[in-house]
Amino acid sequence: MNHQFKLLRKESYSGLIGNLLKSQQVYGPVKQEGYTYYKRISYPDEITEDYIIPQMSAKSFVFPKIEKLFSFVKSKDGVRVEDKNLDTIPKKVIFGVRPCDATGIHNLSAIFLWEPEDSIFKKRREQTTIISFACSSADDYCFCTSLGGGPGNTAGSDIQLIKTGTNDYLAEIITPKGAEIVSSNPGLFEDVDSVEKEKYLVRLPVCFDDSELEDKITDAFDTAIFDDLSMKCVGCGACAFICPVCGCFDIQDETKGSMGQRVRIWDSCGLRQFTLHTSGHNPRDTQGARYRQRLMHKFSYMPDRLGVKGCVGCGRCSRACPVEINIHENLQQITKLVKIHKHE
Amino acid sequence: MEKLREIAGELLKSNDVKVVIGYTKGMNNKVTPFFAKKQEDIAKLICGNSCAQNLAVYLYKKDISDLGKPAIVANIHTLRGIMRLAVEKQIDKKEMIILAIDNAGDIQKLDNLSDLENYLSSVIPQLNEEDQQMLDELNRMTPGERMVFWKQEMKKCIKCYACRQACPLCYCTRCTVEENQPQWIPVASSVVGNLEWHMMRAMHLSGRCVECGQCGKVCPVNIPIHLLPVRIAQEMKTLYGTSTGISLSEKCDMSTFKPDDKENFIG
Ligand code: SF4
Ligand code: SF4
Ligand code: SF4
Ligand code: SF4
């Protein structure tokens, strides 16, 4: 992983955003009533650097909470269906994405670009450039390092900016998309010779050993641990909707008279209706069974089938949970379980 | 705290009570609901002003009912929640012990609903200062300004239903908002649809909401959504002079007709 580094001086930083604003939509972390959200900006100084992690993840740039798939009109001659016009998906650059959120988009791609590829997701991904900010601070809920990530993780980013002691930025160029931004902004990026990225990153201790997590959680399938961990769960969608990697969706028709559209909307395995059959039977009839699905999907099924975890350790679900269910704590408990037998 | 643990310990020992629903300190020092089932769990129980969640929601959850007869640590919100659930015949036949805790930390063991009614007869429900301030601010706005305020908030709503799930009075197992045959309210999250959903929820809670504020506390995107049902609760008080979650004989105002009901809101 030998990425090229450049220096972006603080005087050039606003210039870069200004230039980008001329050619595409620009988004970044913006403060709103004391909370930070990724929002569209019109001026460089709307972007804040005073945040640990935005309230909502960056997944909506590639997997929005509501996505029109196609529209339909019913007439005497039948039903006319019109696919979503992919050319309407605009080019966007997102500033200040946290490394965990960028990794989230990377892991989400493993779901949506699994054969057959999802064309809408693919187009959104292609049209989106991610300029991440490495983390110089973290809070009690962050645990990316325990899952193999870190404050300077580059998965999913096109460029990563690392703030230096002089308030300038080191720019790590990760993808061709990132390189293109550098080459199309001549004069803003300078060469650097020595790079000590690590010293600008927050140190976040590793709290559990994730090498055996997949085996242990898979072994625990038939145990009561999931019932115990989720006894206080009230069964909402907060943890899934706020998660950068949760990709489950529901399909609904929104109609008005004889026309309408089919939309894809976020769904959550925590909700009772998620697996409710038309017959009234529900194969996941208890909150324990639902919480087991949540954890198994993230730490057993996804690693097994897609080679990536369904969790990047951003801690959002724990911050958002109405009853303080803390996934970091839960994973620590699961990794402490005595191993029963090894899976092939 | 010691007194609570002592009583809870005895209840579990007597084997009459199978689980004590209360609070504990979780990770990062956060207060979180806790279910004490064994003697060694007792030392983890805590109480105090930070134990503010309305726990009544757990009284009708299947996974917890399956454990057997509960004792429930109850602040004023939980107490009113229990009373209202009993009035609405959700838990009126349920065997349980209520450990009522007042603001000063004094504990009283209530063995049944009439004990609870007695206890509550001396309580005057009062909204906390912060909520009252926010409501005053909303009341000062013109209807147009209020619409702008709520539309702005509705943009943030992700329809996660945390507000509904955490509310003790939102116990319906099938909610209109998820029905799509026919569709009453858009299932997808959009500004107008979200507004419709929250108005529907607030109306369904009118004369039932016990003003605990739980729905607003849990919103992951910090929408003060409790102000809608709480505002309506105040309206109900002005119109009919009734409070909720206080007495076993209270009714559901919105579905009760009296010949001398005020009708001055009909235009
Ligand atoms: S910590 Fe929670 S919200 Fe964050 S990636 Fe993991 S499961 Fe998702
Ligand atoms: S956010 Fe918490 S209460 Fe809601 S489904 Fe997730 S774990 Fe359960
Ligand atoms: S908890 Fe907040 S975001 Fe979730 S549905 Fe309720 S108001 Fe909307
Ligand atoms: S304040 Fe909210 S949570 Fe509490 S009873 Fe009223 S509607 Fe339910």
Side-chain angles (χ1 to χ4, degrees):
Chain A
M1 206 183 51
N2 262 333
H3 298 144
Q4 200 195 356
F5 282 86
K6 293 276 185 186
L7 181 71
L8 180 70
R9 292 200 183 276
K10 53 177 174 291
E11 303 79 28
S12 308
Y13 168 77
S14 300
L16 173 66
I17 303 176
N19 284 354
L20 289 167
L21 274 166
K22 286 180 206 145
S23 63
Q24 54 189 307
Q25 298 186 356
V26 180
Y27 288 74
V30 172
K31 280 258 183 274
Q32 194 185 348
E33 294 150 19
Y35 302 99
T36 308
Y37 291 90
Y38 294 114
K39 284 192 112 79
R40 181 144 180 213
I41 59 152
S42 314
Y43 307 98
D45 59 6
E46 284 178 65
I47 291 186
T48 176
E49 289 189 28
D50 172 27
Y51 67 104
I52 302 285
I53 194 169
Q55 270 324 80
M56 295 299 295
S57 84
K59 82 171 165 191
S60 49
F61 292 109
V62 286
F63 174 40
K65 67 177 177 179
I66 165 163
E67 178 89 273
K68 176 180 142 184
L69 301 176
F70 58 81
S71 54
F72 49 85
V73 185
K74 208 167 139 190
S75 66
K76 287 198 297 294
D77 316 321
V79 180
R80 193 162 49 84
V81 174
E82 209 174 291
D83 271 334
K84 187 189 178 89
N85 179 1
L86 295 185
D87 295 334
T88 57
I89 296 174
K91 255 181 104 169
K92 285 179 187 172
V93 55
I94 329 291
F95 258 85
V97 173
R98 283 300 182 206
C100 54
D101 274 351
T103 311
I105 290 182
H106 173 82
N107 293 7
L108 205 53
S109 304
I111 301 176
F112 282 94
L113 302 182
W114 194 10
E115 290 296 320
E117 287 179 342
D118 184 90
S119 57
I120 302 178
F121 180 95
K122 192 173 176 207
K123 183 72 180 187
R124 284 197 184 275
R125 182 80 182 90
E126 282 166 5
Q127 291 289 74
T128 308
T129 305
I130 293 176
I131 302 185
S132 59
F133 282 178
C135 302
S136 56
S137 55
D139 72 7
D140 290 342
Y141 291 96
C142 298
F143 68 105
C144 57
T145 48
S146 298
L147 293 175
N153 204 30
T154 55
S157 301
D158 296 300
I159 293 179
Q160 182 163 88
L161 297 180
I162 303 116
K163 201 165 194 166
T164 69
T166 52
N167 284 335
D168 299 316
Y169 301 87
L170 278 172
E172 185 171 358
I173 323 298
I174 298 140
T175 64
K177 236 195 247 173
E180 201 196 303
I181 290 201
V182 175
S183 61
S184 54
N185 285 282
L188 292 182
F189 292 89
E190 300 169 27
D191 289 339
V192 273
D193 13 87
S194 70
V195 174
E196 288 176 286
K197 175 177 170 180
E198 288 303 314
K199 80 173 188 202
Y200 302 116
L201 304 178
V202 62
R203 258 170 249 298
L204 194 64
V206 174
C207 294
F208 60 85
D209 172 16
D210 81 328
S211 64
E212 286 189 319
L213 180 57
E214 189 183 337
D215 279 339
K216 291 221 168 148
I217 199 166
T218 310
D219 275 340
F221 189 89
D222 284 324
T223 68
I225 186 156
F226 302 101
D227 296 328
D228 288 342
L229 297 178
S230 66
M231 186 129 283
K232 59 189 169 185
C233 174
V234 292
C236 64
C239 52
F241 292 179
I242 210 148
C243 173
V245 205
C246 276
C248 286
F249 54 80
D250 186 15
I251 302 276
Q252 292 282 342
D253 284 350
E254 302 272 318
T255 52
K256 202 172 188 183
S258 57
M259 36 205 276
Q261 49 183 15
R262 181 155 297 176
V263 296
R264 166 163 84 199
I265 59 177
W266 293 346
D267 205 347
S268 166
C269 58
L271 299 168
R272 193 188 70 95
Q273 281 215 334
F274 188 74
T275 48
L276 184 64
H277 294 183
T278 15
S279 65
H281 172 65
N282 195 340
R284 292 192 204 121
D285 205 20
T286 60
Q287 213 54 50
R290 289 172 210 137
Y291 196 61
R292 173 172 71 186
Q293 165 63 19
R294 175 168 174 78
L295 294 187
M296 293 294 285
H297 191 201
K298 290 182 177 297
F299 301 102
S300 175
Y301 313 149
M302 275 185 71
D304 183 33
R305 282 179 218 170
L306 304 172
V308 293
K309 288 192 184 75
C311 172
V312 293
C314 71
R316 270 201 194 79
C317 54
S318 315
R319 291 186 198 93
C321 177
V323 294
E324 299 288 336
I325 290 183
N326 190 306
I327 192 167
H328 183 186
E329 185 181 28
N330 290 176
L331 293 176
Q332 290 191 22
Q333 271 167 273
I334 291 168
T335 48
K336 278 191 206 124
L337 291 174
V338 186
K339 201 154 99 191
I340 309 161
H341 70 274
K342 175 111 184 110
H343 281 256
E344 291 308 311
Chain B
M1 203 108 83
E2 283 321 308
K3 176 123 188 264
L4 170 70
R5 289 177 186 164
E6 193 184 306
I7 302 177
E10 273 163 26
L11 285 172
L12 280 184
K13 198 165 3 157
S14 72
N15 215 15
D16 176 32
V17 159
K18 303 291 183 207
V19 56
V20 180
I21 306 173
Y23 309 88
T24 193
K25 267 239 161 79
M27 214 181 181
N28 306 333
N29 268 331
K30 293 282 180 172
V31 175
T32 178
F34 180 62
F35 306 92
K37 290 174 272 185
K38 304 183 291 283
Q39 278 303 325
E40 57 262 40
D41 296 338
I42 293 296
K44 294 189 194 147
L45 281 171
I46 60 163
C47 58
N49 288 340
S50 54
C51 301
Q53 190 187 324
N54 193 331
L55 295 178
V57 73
Y58 291 120
L59 287 175
Y60 54 82
K61 292 224 180 289
K62 184 174 180 298
D63 314 28
I64 294 147
S65 299
D66 285 351
L67 296 172
K69 179 173 171 181
I72 182 165
V73 179
N75 57 24
I76 179 65
H77 303 314
T78 307
L79 292 172
R80 287 181 67 192
I82 297 173
M83 179 54 89
R84 189 65 209 179
L85 282 169
V87 168
E88 297 186 11
K89 307 224 173 338
Q90 296 303 309
I91 54 166
D92 52 323
K93 300 215 169 61
K94 194 180 177 80
E95 289 231 348
M96 67 184 142
I97 290 193
I98 301 162
L99 304 175
I101 301 196
D102 64 15
N103 282 340
D106 284 335
I107 304 185
Q108 264 192 54
K109 183 166 155 286
L110 313 172
D111 291 324
N112 50 46
L113 292 172
S114 43
D115 278 6
L116 174 62
E117 187 172 42
N118 264 336
Y119 184 91
L120 284 171
S121 63
S122 59
V123 171
I124 303 159
Q126 220 169 12
L127 208 57
N128 74 50
E129 238 169 85
E130 205 185 323
D131 285 347
Q132 192 54 57
Q133 265 173 17
M134 280 199 280
L135 275 184
D136 290 345
E137 228 168 275
L138 279 174
N139 285 339
R140 273 195 296 273
M141 291 181 188
T142 63
E145 288 168 340
R146 262 199 301 274
M147 197 55 162
V148 172
F149 171 85
W150 282 114
K151 275 199 170 154
Q152 206 53 35
E153 294 297 320
M154 289 304 109
K155 262 195 209 161
K156 291 193 281 181
C157 175
I158 52 174
K159 265 208 169 163
C160 67
Y161 304 128
C163 45
R164 181 188 73 185
Q165 293 306 103
C167 169
L169 275 317
C170 273
Y171 51 72
C172 303
T173 48
R174 296 187 72 176
C175 177
T176 317
V177 77
E178 286 160 336
E179 293 289 309
N180 58 2
Q181 298 285 347
Q183 189 186 73
W184 300 94
I185 283 168
V187 181
S189 160
S190 61
V191 176
V192 176
N194 293 350
L195 199 61
E196 285 172 334
W197 133 241
H198 285 298
M199 285 192 326
M200 186 266 307
R201 179 169 178 274
M203 287 314 290
H204 195 194
L205 284 155
S206 62
R208 304 176 52 233
C209 166
V210 293
E211 301 161 287
C212 64
Q214 192 62 32
C215 49
K217 268 183 238 154
V218 300
C219 176
V221 292
N222 314 300
I223 301 172
I225 201 65
H226 60 299
L227 296 181
L228 285 180
V230 167
R231 174 70 174 74
I232 293 181
Q234 293 193 337
E235 198 72 22
M236 297 299 284
K237 233 172 275 176
T238 322
L239 274 174
Y240 305 114
T242 46
S243 284
T244 50
I246 298 294
S247 120
L248 278 169
S249 54
E250 69 196 34
K251 299 261 176 344
C252 189
D253 291 328
M254 283 308 267
S255 53
T256 310
F257 173 75
K258 289 200 218 104
D260 57 346
D261 275 344
K262 285 190 209 148
E263 287 178 353
N264 50 359
F265 53 87
I266 301 173

